[in-house]
Amino acid sequence: MSVEPFIGLSALLFTIGAVGVLVRRNAIVVFMCVELMLNACNLAFVTFARAHGNLDGQIAAFFVMVVAAAEVVVGLAIIVSIFRTRRSASVDDASLLKL
Amino acid sequence: MTSLSSVVLAATEHAEVVPVAADGVFSWVWLVVAIPAISAAILLIGDGAGDHGPLDRFGHLLGTAASIASFVVGLVAFVALLGRDAAERAITQDLWTWIQVGGFDVTMSVYYDQLAALFVLLITGVGSLIHVYSIGYMADDPRKRRFFGFLNLFIAAMLVLVLAGDYLVLFLGWEGVGLASYLLIGFWQEKRSAAVAAKKAFIVNRVGDLGLALGIMLMFAQFGTTNIHEVGLNVSNASQSVATALGLLLLLGACGKSAQVPLQSWLLDAMEGPTPVSALIHAATMVTAGVYLVVRSAAIYDLSEVARTAVMVVGTVTLLFGAWIGCAKDDIKKALAGSTMSQIGYMMLAAGLGPAGYAFAIFHLITHGFFKANMFLGAGSVMHGMNDDVNMRHYGALRKMMPVTFVTFAIGYLAIIGFPGFSGFFSKDKIIEAAFATNFWAGLAALIGAGVTAFYMTRVMILTFFGDKRWREGVHPHESPKIMTIPLIVLAALSIAGGALTFSSWISDWLAPVTGEEHHDLPVPAIVITAVIVLVVAVGVALAYVLFGRRDVPETAPQNVSVFTRAGRADLYGDAVNEALLMRPGQYLTRSLVYVDGSGIDGAVNGTAELVGDGARGLRRLQTGFVRTYAAEIFGGALVLVLALLAVNLA
């Protein structure tokens, strides 16, 4: 089995995710791009686990999924509450973290 | 000059005094301090409710009663002391331990001996009379309760000073009288001149106090004790240079407190205070504390010829200096202040003569306390009748309007010029004789001073009580009330009778155990010197009569006067010298230090802070608050990290 196509796909997904985080303003989209990057990592983990024949990478992938699930809960809650107070889901509107 | 053997003799005489523990009456001597101190505390901090509380109405009576009670205790103790053997007249009582730090012990103790006894009587006696006088003088002052509180504070502090058994306790009293003097000079603080004069007195006194403080430190460093008696015992084993240094440092302290050259400039300005204050503090008692200090430290001065000579020179210079100023002033209080300086100069001169003069210094101090307090209170009585005008050119012909003031003032006048039979005659005569016996030039200066004294005091008499009326409009001179004239009468009586202290040399014998005793042979019989003094005094009086008594006195001071008069009016340029030598260079120094501090030290500190601040302000721009900027920074950082790892691995 050749790993290159899988790694290439993983890198592509990660890049799409990263660019999305940087250029999109909508918090939901940014959030989905973060998920995309996490899953790109998962793909790389399982690919290498398969190539090397041990389960470490698979376990790591499970951990990432668990963390991602938890993160979704917290993140969505934050986004919803920001939307409620500001009537906007744009990340640029929530720029209060400065003097 | 003093021979070596007599110096050693005098030193051993001091060593023979063995203080005995207080018993009977003497264990209550501390009351003389406690009574006025408690009264001062009550008057100054008690009953703050309103302006018309009982203390505001009757506080002056409490203050006066405290002073009189203190006098009674002092008198009882003095009578008891008279009944003791000469060997047992130095009495000490330890009250409590004031300071105990390692090997340094200061006991709050009362040291009551012949010298202290005389001072207690003078301070409380004259002090009580002046309290009584002040009841009349300050009757209309809304703050007289505070005035009497300060007076009591002064009495207490002065008694601490003279009853101290330890130089540090003496220093406590020394500072206390300085504080009281400051408070009372500036009593009418709403007058700018009074406030400034108070500050000046305080600051000039600090210079002298520095000398005394250094002297006490030197005693501790050398002998490990500041107890006056023990220092006296130890100093005879110390080197000559230590004794000289101690003598000069104590002299500096004495100069400040007693307004001696070069620290004389504050006394004339101190006349801004109420007249009873001038009489009590700046004539009769506090300003003589310097003389007391020198006499009390006789053991030190006996060992140092240099220090003694310095005291003598200071005294001689000041007695001429003060007399000169006294001749030129038109302000009656300032003329008397110049005279006070001059008379204290006499005392200092006598103290500088060593054991031959100590007793005479104290004798003159006591008689001066009587007649100068008398004259100051007389001046106050005159001012009272003249709407507080102090310019003698506005007086004249007051003898008929104020007969009691006139007669008592005249008695003081006869005493100060040394009219035969009056107290000043005996005391000044003794000093001039002793001065001639020791040093011809000092004696000559004292003799000339006696003539000048006669001159300016006659001038004061003529300008005030004789000649034509030169009163301002609306001034109706009148005699003062009895409460003011009775103290005058008592003091006038004392001015006459004070000379009795020297009959059959009582005061010399009385003080001999404290000060030592020494007799010099005069080159000529004493009666000749006395005759010469009387002659010189007569010339001074006659000169003043010719210049002032037989001419009209101009109502404004003439301006085209000799350079001597002009110098006298300007206090012999004492303030100018202080300004040029000390104040200006001091100001330049402080200004340059402020500049160095401001632009150098502060500049460095503030510059560093500003640099950090500016840097932080620049870095703050990086924190935009936009999530995406932070994300980009994280990605950038990760990218740099990955590239760096790759570069390391590939290399």
Side-chain angles (χ1 to χ4, degrees):
Chain A
M1 188 193 103
S2 159
V3 296
E4 276 86 5
F6 297 97
I7 295 303
L9 178 63
S10 166
L12 189 64
L13 288 173
F14 189 89
T15 308
I16 292 167
V19 170
V21 166
L22 291 181
V23 301
R24 295 305 297 264
R25 290 198 177 87
N26 190 317
I28 303 288
V29 178
V30 169
F31 205 61
M32 289 195 307
C33 291
V34 170
E35 293 301 314
L36 201 56
M37 286 156 73
L38 288 170
N39 284 310
C41 293
N42 280 350
L43 183 55
F45 273 126
V46 294
T47 306
F48 286 121
R50 170 116 181 137
H52 292 295
N54 67 21
L55 291 175
D56 292 355
Q58 312 241 16
I59 292 168
F62 275 117
F63 271 109
V64 171
M65 281 178 207
V66 170
V67 170
E71 184 212 320
V72 165
V73 172
V74 176
L76 273 178
I78 292 171
I79 289 166
V80 168
S81 87
I82 287 177
F83 184 78
R84 277 187 177 166
T85 53
R86 296 175 177 272
R87 291 276 147 225
S88 149
S90 167
V91 289
D92 283 2
D93 285 349
S95 62
L96 298 171
L97 198 62
K98 65 174 182 193
L99 275 172
Chain B
M1 284 289 147
T2 318
S3 70
L4 190 64
S5 60
S6 64
V7 169
V8 174
L9 183 72
T12 45
E13 271 176 38
H14 291 298
E16 279 169 13
V17 175
V18 180
V20 295
D23 54 355
V25 183
F26 299 107
S27 53
W28 296 98
V29 169
W30 56 270
L31 273 176
V32 297
V33 180
I35 294 170
I38 291 168
S39 165
I42 293 172
L43 287 172
L44 292 177
I45 58 181
D47 180 29
D51 292 325
H52 303 288
L55 276 180
D56 293 291
R57 272 176 287 148
F58 305 112
H60 53 285
L61 299 179
L62 172 67
T64 309
S67 181
I68 291 172
S70 186
F71 173 68
V72 170
V73 176
L75 192 63
V76 169
F78 179 72
V79 171
L81 199 67
L82 280 174
R84 284 206 163 194
D85 286 345
E88 292 179 347
R89 280 181 183 155
I91 291 148
T92 180
Q93 184 188 13
D94 292 350
L95 299 176
W96 70 85
T97 302
W98 185 26
I99 298 174
Q100 188 173 32
V101 183
F104 182 50
D105 282 301
V106 178
T107 308
M108 194 59 89
S109 61
V110 172
Y111 188 79
Y112 186 75
D113 66 353
Q114 295 93 325
L115 182 60
L118 289 179
F119 266 90
V120 167
L121 285 185
L122 177 73
I123 295 159
T124 55
V126 174
S128 299
L129 289 170
I130 290 173
H131 272 80
V132 171
Y133 177 92
S134 301
I135 292 175
Y137 192 83
M138 303 296 283
D140 300 327
D141 196 295
R143 291 181 301 173
K144 64 176 179 240
R145 160 182 160 189
R146 189 196 303 190
F147 180 80
F148 279 86
F150 289 159
L151 275 189
N152 275 184
L153 175 69
F154 168 76
I155 298 270
M158 189 74 201
L159 290 168
V160 168
L161 198 164
V162 298
L163 287 172
D166 192 292
Y167 276 106
L168 212 62
V169 181
L170 183 146
F171 193 64
L172 176 75
W174 190 268
E175 293 300 311
V177 292
L179 170 70
S181 158
Y182 165 79
L183 292 170
L184 285 165
I185 295 171
F187 183 71
W188 288 319
Q189 69 226 34
E190 63 278 3
K191 264 168 59 188
R192 185 177 152 72
S193 54
V196 170
K199 217 155 68 174
K200 183 177 181 184
F202 203 72
I203 291 168
V204 176
N205 265 295
R206 290 278 78 61
V207 180
D209 294 349
L210 188 69
L212 180 56
L214 286 176
I216 294 172
M217 290 176 207
L218 183 62
M219 284 168 200
F220 179 66
Q222 287 289 324
F223 313 131
T225 176
T226 53
N227 184 295
I228 295 176
H229 187 66
E230 285 170 28
V231 167
L233 295 178
N234 283 327
V235 76
S236 50
N237 303 324
S239 68
Q240 183 79 27
S241 55
V242 169
T244 304
L246 278 177
L248 293 178
L249 286 170
L250 295 182
L251 173 62
L252 180 61
C255 281
K257 198 57 84 193
S258 292
Q260 301 291 292
V261 176
L263 299 177
Q264 82 293 349
S265 63
W266 65 272
L267 185 62
L268 290 158
D269 290 349
M271 296 301 129
E272 287 293 336
T275 306
V277 172
S278 308
L280 177 61
I281 301 186
H282 305 119
T285 52
M286 186 193 83
V287 286
T288 58
V291 180
Y292 171 80
L293 181 68
V294 172
V295 175
R296 181 53 93 194
S297 310
I300 294 168
Y301 285 96
D302 284 344
L303 292 171
S304 172
E305 179 85 46
V306 178
R308 258 199 330 270
T309 310
V311 174
M312 195 170 80
V313 169
V314 163
T316 312
V317 169
T318 311
L319 88 85
L320 294 174
F321 200 98
W324 186 344
I325 292 175
C327 293
K329 290 289 179 185
D330 291 332
D331 179 330
I332 186 168
K333 283 181 74 182
K334 293 207 170 174
L336 289 175
S339 150
T340 303
M341 269 169 69
S342 171
Q343 299 303 312
I344 297 170
Y346 273 105
M347 298 169 208
M348 277 295 198
L349 165 61
L353 299 174
Y358 291 136
F360 301 143
I362 298 300
F363 179 35
H364 194 55
L365 194 158
I366 291 169
T367 59
H368 174 257
F370 294 152
F371 61 67
K372 189 52 73 60
N374 175 14
M375 296 179 82
F376 259 113
L377 295 185
S381 175
V382 170
M383 286 161 57
H384 197 71
M386 301 295 285
N387 293 358
D388 287 331
D389 193 345
V390 289
N391 192 336
M392 289 189 287
R393 292 187 186 277
H394 301 165
Y395 293 170
L398 291 176
R399 64 183 184 284
K400 296 219 176 69
M401 312 304 296
M402 305 181 177
V404 180
T405 307
F406 167 64
V407 171
T408 53
F409 197 91
I411 289 168
Y413 159 76
L414 292 172
I416 194 173
I417 67 168
F419 192 82
F422 288 79
S423 61
F425 166 75
F426 296 103
S427 57
K428 204 180 285 182
D429 182 78
K430 289 285 183 197
I431 290 177
I432 298 174
E433 274 178 24
F436 265 118
T438 311
N439 183 317
F440 174 76
W441 295 108
L444 190 64
L447 183 63
I448 294 169
V452 182
T453 305
F455 173 78
Y456 67 75
M457 287 316 305
T458 310
R459 173 174 175 270
V460 169
M461 274 306 277
I462 292 173
L463 258 53
T464 306
F465 293 106
F466 295 91
D468 302 323
K469 297 173 184 175
R470 298 182 302 275
W471 310 338
R472 302 289 90 180
E473 277 178 39
V475 172
H476 306 290
H478 54 84
E479 185 57 276
S480 300
K482 279 215 168 60
I483 194 112
M484 287 166 72
T485 51
I486 287 170
L488 284 175
I489 294 166
V490 176
L491 282 169
L494 288 168
S495 303
I496 300 173
L501 290 175
T502 191
F503 291 164
S504 66
S505 58
W506 179 82
I507 192 156
S508 307
D509 295 343
W510 173 255
L511 288 174
V514 186
T515 61
E517 208 173 0
E518 197 178 270
H519 292 291
H520 289 290
D521 292 326
L522 284 164
V524 288
I527 188 74
V528 175
I529 294 207
T530 307
V532 171
I533 296 168
V534 171
L535 192 68
V536 169
V537 166
V539 169
V541 172
L543 197 61
Y545 176 68
V546 169
L547 282 177
F548 300 103
R550 299 180 51 183
R551 297 187 200 168
D552 287 340
V553 179
E555 293 190 23
T556 49
Q559 291 306 312
N560 56 338
V561 288
S562 69
V563 64
F564 298 108
T565 312
R566 214 168 293 150
R569 283 181 186 165
D571 305 348
L572 295 187
Y573 307 111
D575 290 337
V577 169
N578 282 349
E579 279 188 18
L581 285 184
L582 302 168
M583 204 186 89
R584 296 264 164 67
Q587 274 182 346
Y588 291 138
L589 181 68
T590 50
R591 273 184 208 149
S592 54
L593 284 176
V594 164
Y595 179 75
V596 169
D597 183 53
S599 52
I601 296 172
D602 283 6
V605 173
N606 293 343
T608 313
E610 268 172 35
L611 201 68
V612 172
D614 286 348
R617 265 189 291 280
L619 288 172
R620 206 178 67 184
R621 303 240 167 87
L622 294 176
Q623 308 289 323
T624 58
F626 292 117
V627 173
R628 295 184 301 137
T629 314
Y630 301 140
E633 279 161 12
I634 292 169
F635 285 128
L639 196 65
V640 168
L641 209 61
V642 168
L643 288 178
L645 283 171
L646 283 177
V648 169
N649 284 345
L650 291 179

